[in-house]
Amino acid sequence: MTDAHAHAFRKLKPVVFVALLAFLAAGCTPKQKTYSYKFEEYQGFNATNDFLSSSSAPEERLKADAEQNLLSGNLFDQGSTPSHAPKVASSTDRVLSENLFELAAVQRKGSIYDRMLRTAHTQVGTRYRSGGCDPNSGFDCSGFTTWVFNRYGIHLPRSSREQYQVGKMVAKNNLRKGDLVFFRSKRGINHVGIYLENGKFIHSASNGKTVTISHLDEDYWRTHYAGGRRVF
């Protein structure tokens, strides 16, 4: 190697050394990871669904989804809720459960009332008979109500005066299907029927007549009305 070559090599050594250090440093630096998510998959939200194109307002959709989540038990993503997070849904779930059970009970009663009234309607035209309590021999007023209610496991006392002591009093403007309606004479309670709706009731009228449907606003029944009772 000539003196010129040696001199050039000595001048290049620092440059080569710096380049080598830079190369080694670059190799030791960990590669930064990058993450990408499809917007459709973020938090389970499907951006390609019809949420934005729906005719209903977004607020209404969100409320509906929240209520559905409460009912289905999916208010929180399982496994993603921190253990220290307060259980804010517990009281709401309890209230919802109580309301649903109450609603189911009302619906059950409603169906019983409807069936009871259908049974009562089957006896329209059955003749009146004093002391009668079955379709074959005929009905008096309390015999008719006793027969209808007994078919659904509700055992009423035999006379209209005794039936007037059963259940709770109901105001005339709050009567509903299946309530008992009572009428009085100077001697006290002497007649009973089963309320239908819209002011109508079904009853076994009186001697010489049959099971029929009347209206509370008819003169005689309006002036002799005594009250309504709700048995169940």
Side-chain angles (χ1 to χ4, degrees):
M1 179 181 296
T2 64
D3 290 340
H5 288 156
H7 179 71
F9 180 74
R10 281 195 299 271
K11 291 179 69 175
L12 287 174
K13 276 181 68 175
V15 177
V16 173
F17 182 74
V18 172
L20 180 61
L21 286 177
F23 178 79
L24 292 175
C28 294
T29 302
K31 185 178 180 181
Q32 185 178 2
K33 292 184 178 180
T34 58
Y35 299 89
S36 62
Y37 296 92
K38 292 182 178 180
F39 181 69
E40 294 88 346
E41 297 172 353
Y42 181 69
Q43 290 292 327
F45 179 81
N46 184 0
T48 61
N49 64 15
D50 61 348
F51 180 80
L52 296 177
S53 61
S54 172
S55 58
S56 62
E59 294 86 352
E60 295 176 359
R61 290 288 304 277
L62 289 172
K63 289 178 182 178
D65 290 344
E67 291 173 356
Q68 181 60 36
N69 286 336
L70 274 174
L71 295 175
S72 63
N74 294 328
L75 181 61
F76 301 109
D77 254 350
Q78 298 203 5
S80 65
T81 305
S83 58
H84 61 275
K87 297 181 179 179
V88 296
S90 59
S91 60
T92 306
D93 287 339
R94 178 175 56 79
V95 172
L96 280 172
S97 298
E98 291 175 355
N99 289 340
L100 287 173
F101 279 121
E102 182 179 351
L103 177 61
V106 170
Q107 289 176 336
R108 270 200 310 277
K109 284 185 178 182
S111 64
I112 291 174
Y113 291 142
D114 290 335
R115 287 180 298 176
M116 179 185 293
L117 296 185
R118 284 197 294 269
T119 298
H121 273 89
T122 64
Q123 299 306 310
V124 170
T126 300
R127 69 186 183 94
Y128 177 92
R129 184 177 71 86
S130 179
C133 57
D134 67 79
N136 295 326
S137 60
F139 297 108
D140 63 13
C141 65
S142 57
F144 174 65
T145 55
T146 299
W147 179 82
V148 173
F149 276 71
N150 278 355
R151 290 177 67 85
Y152 294 90
I154 302 167
H155 304 292
L156 297 177
R158 181 59 183 84
S159 71
S160 59
R161 187 169 299 181
E162 291 173 317
Q163 290 179 14
Y164 189 63
Q165 306 302 318
V166 176
K168 63 180 181 180
M169 184 67 73
V170 182
K172 193 174 184 178
N173 59 353
N174 286 330
L175 289 170
R176 72 183 184 197
K177 295 177 181 179
D179 288 343
L180 294 174
V181 287
F182 294 88
F183 306 86
R184 68 170 73 247
S185 66
K186 293 180 179 179
R187 292 181 295 178
I189 300 297
N190 69 338
H191 194 67
V192 61
I194 303 173
Y195 188 75
L196 301 175
E197 57 186 343
N198 299 323
K200 296 179 181 179
F201 67 101
I202 186 169
H203 60 129
S204 186
S206 61
N207 194 25
K209 296 184 179 180
T210 63
V211 173
T212 188
I213 295 173
S214 301
H215 201 288
L216 293 176
D217 286 339
E218 294 175 23
D219 287 343
Y220 179 85
W221 304 117
R222 178 174 50 80
T223 56
H224 290 80
Y225 183 77
R229 308 285 296 189
R230 185 161 298 156
V231 177
F232 71 104

